[in-house]
Amino acid sequence: MEQQTAPTWLSVSPAENQVRLQLPGAVSTVPSQPLGGGGESRAPRSPGMEKINFSGGEPFIHDRGEYLGKLVRFCKEELRLPSVSIVSNGSLIRERWFQNYGEYLDILAISCDSFDEQVNVLIGRGQGKKNHVENLQKLRAWCREYRVAFKINSVINRFNVDEDMREQIKALNPVRWKVFQCLLIEGENSGDDALREAQQFVISDEEFEGFLDLHREVSCLVPESNQKMKDSYLILDEYMRFLNCQNGRKDPSKSILDVGVEAAIKFSGFDEKMFLKRGGKYVWSKADLKLDW
């Protein structure tokens, strides 16, 4: 296997009683223990990491986001990472969290697969009595007030592939709109041992391109097809193991807490060329974005 270079970008799932590890369009649930604290948490920094992203499942579940907030602050104050970001569905975020931790967060990405509430319910994005779209607008306002760059992630699937989102995305004006093609991962949302079946959500490459063609005028759009997505992320699970997706499933490496980053990353399956090709390296520190708050 070709030797991997030191990571500049990591996606980490904070521990919950149950942590759901997510690639866009792919979800799993596994038992977990909390991430290592103190000196152990410093492990990724020395090889040159520049950005960390906390995702889930839903990373705000544990301790109402307090645990996540402390991790975000630690990454900024102690590790001095140029960029710290979070991916969330937004349902559990309160203004108090921004007041306590907003200054340490560079980017908040909110998952929004549709601006039609009935479609959100259909694809599993419903939030009970809370309207997902209205909550999205509230979060956008908080990001502006507390100076956090706002991003939207959308997974394009069978139920939203024909939706025209141009007007809503332009009105929200995110710094980036990541548009993912629904991806199947064996053992997670595909196969006999899948925790949920996502075959009904899958769209063809041609259908995905059709969605992109409709939205070409949206300047912040950043598309990711299955080909671009599958191996172009460095993902750590809650045991601090890299997850290798080369074979269509997530095969874990040994933990970086046991063998170090350089040894573990050799088994990550990370495709650095595709990472760069898909635009994975961008201006990701809010200090450099020069946004008009």
Side-chain angles (χ1 to χ4, degrees):
M1 179 180 294
E2 182 180 350
Q3 185 172 357
Q4 302 292 337
T5 58
T8 59
W9 187 96
L10 288 174
S11 180
V12 180
S13 296
E16 309 160 0
N17 290 332
Q18 292 280 310
V19 172
R20 298 200 306 166
L21 311 175
Q22 182 170 347
L23 275 176
V27 180
S28 72
T29 306
V30 295
S32 69
Q33 297 294 329
L35 294 174
E40 290 181 332
S41 297
R42 301 171 189 269
R45 184 66 180 107
S46 57
M49 189 176 76
E50 296 179 13
K51 181 180 189 294
I52 189 166
N53 179 61
F54 294 98
S55 62
E58 178 45 55
F60 279 86
I61 287 179
H62 186 71
D63 197 23
R64 298 180 180 271
E66 283 299 305
Y67 180 55
L68 176 63
K70 292 174 182 177
L71 289 174
V72 167
R73 183 173 60 194
F74 177 84
C75 288
K76 271 295 179 184
E77 288 193 331
E78 301 296 328
L79 300 186
R80 299 185 181 278
L81 294 181
S83 181
V84 181
S85 60
I86 296 172
V87 178
S88 168
N89 66 23
S91 62
L92 300 176
I93 305 177
R94 302 293 181 264
E95 185 175 11
R96 182 177 179 83
W97 193 94
F98 281 95
Q99 294 169 344
N100 292 337
Y101 303 109
E103 65 180 293
Y104 309 109
L105 183 65
D106 290 276
I107 301 172
L108 176 64
I110 299 298
S111 300
C112 179
D113 296 340
S114 176
F115 290 92
D116 183 327
E117 195 61 23
Q118 291 183 332
V119 174
N120 282 323
V121 172
L122 186 64
I123 62 181
R125 289 288 191 193
Q127 298 181 3
K129 296 181 180 180
K130 184 178 293 186
N131 184 291
H132 183 53
V133 177
E134 291 178 359
N135 193 51
L136 182 70
Q137 295 168 337
K138 180 174 64 177
L139 291 166
R140 177 66 182 99
W142 284 342
C143 282
R144 184 178 292 111
E145 181 176 354
Y146 294 98
R147 302 192 172 218
V148 175
F150 181 72
K151 176 182 173 184
I152 296 176
N153 286 355
S154 300
V155 178
I156 307 309
N157 59 76
R158 174 59 51 210
F159 301 102
N160 65 3
V161 67
D162 295 321
E163 183 174 342
D164 185 348
M165 305 183 187
R166 290 175 293 182
E167 182 179 343
Q168 293 89 341
I169 294 294
K170 289 179 180 178
L172 289 165
N173 192 29
V175 294
R176 280 165 75 87
W177 178 33
K178 290 292 288 291
V179 175
F180 303 98
Q181 181 182 2
C182 182
L183 176 67
L184 293 180
I185 295 291
E186 182 182 342
E188 298 200 356
N189 60 10
S190 177
D192 295 337
D193 298 326
L195 296 168
R196 58 183 293 187
E197 180 55 57
Q199 189 64 49
Q200 63 176 325
F201 293 91
V202 173
I203 59 174
S204 67
D205 293 345
E206 291 75 19
E207 288 174 307
F208 184 64
E209 285 299 322
F211 181 90
L212 297 180
D213 287 340
L214 177 62
H215 295 85
R216 293 289 180 195
E217 66 188 67
V218 181
S219 60
C220 59
L221 188 154
V222 181
E224 284 193 24
S225 63
N226 288 172
Q227 181 185 14
K228 289 182 178 180
M229 187 194 323
K230 186 171 70 71
D231 300 321
S232 64
Y233 285 82
L234 278 171
I235 307 173
L236 284 174
D237 68 6
E238 74 279 17
Y239 299 109
M240 306 301 278
R241 303 175 301 183
F242 287 108
L243 299 177
N244 186 326
C245 301
Q246 286 182 317
N247 295 319
R249 58 182 184 269
K250 290 181 177 176
D251 296 320
S253 70
K254 292 183 179 180
S255 173
I256 65 174
L257 301 180
D258 295 327
V259 301
V261 174
E262 289 86 351
I265 200 174
K266 295 177 182 178
F267 300 94
S268 67
F270 179 58
D271 186 342
E272 185 177 10
K273 291 182 179 179
M274 185 59 76
F275 167 78
L276 296 172
K277 183 178 180 180
R278 69 168 173 81
K281 177 68 174 176
Y282 59 97
V283 180
W284 51 35
S285 171
K286 64 181 178 182
D288 298 328
L289 282 168
K290 299 179 181 178
L291 297 174
D292 183 9
W293 302 105

